Amino acid sequence: VTSLDGRWRRIISLSKKRWDVLQKMKEEYRLVVVLFYYEGLSLRDISDVLNIPIGTVKSRLSRGKEEIRNVLEGGNGNGKI
């Protein structure tokens, strides 16, 4: 039971860290990241939902992933996170 409790604590901690990172992102990046990774929408679907070109979706997804990567590696992205 103890190892299970420890595992849940790590999962909750990781989930909280992800949420904290997402909350601090620029909204335009956060929306695309959440729709793609958490809601499972395709790039085309995100483009349709947000009414933006698919190239913009790809760009925002890339920039959002870069911000997340910077934070998780100990940096602070563009200074906003």
Side-chain angles (χ1 to χ4, degrees):
V1 175
T2 305
S3 64
L4 182 59
D5 290 344
R7 198 175 332 162
W8 276 110
R9 265 182 267 164
R10 285 192 299 277
I11 290 169
I12 291 167
S13 175
L14 182 56
S15 295
K16 182 180 179 341
K17 182 183 284 189
R18 287 180 185 165
W19 179 249
D20 289 346
V21 170
L22 287 172
Q23 284 295 102
K24 294 175 184 175
M25 291 176 72
K26 287 184 177 180
E27 184 178 16
E28 62 188 12
Y29 301 154
R30 181 177 58 243
L31 283 173
V32 173
V33 168
V34 168
L35 290 173
F36 187 79
Y37 288 107
Y38 291 89
E39 297 298 327
L41 271 61
S42 69
L43 297 175
R44 172 58 60 202
D45 289 342
I46 295 170
S47 172
D48 292 343
V49 167
L50 298 179
N51 197 29
I52 58 176
I54 196 164
T56 302
V57 172
K58 291 178 182 179
S59 174
R60 290 180 183 180
L61 184 60
S62 176
R63 290 180 181 143
K65 289 190 302 187
E66 183 64 28
E67 281 194 15
I68 292 168
R69 188 178 305 113
N70 286 338
V71 170
L72 295 178
E73 290 176 352
N76 65 355
N78 62 7
K80 306 269 187 219
I81 297 180

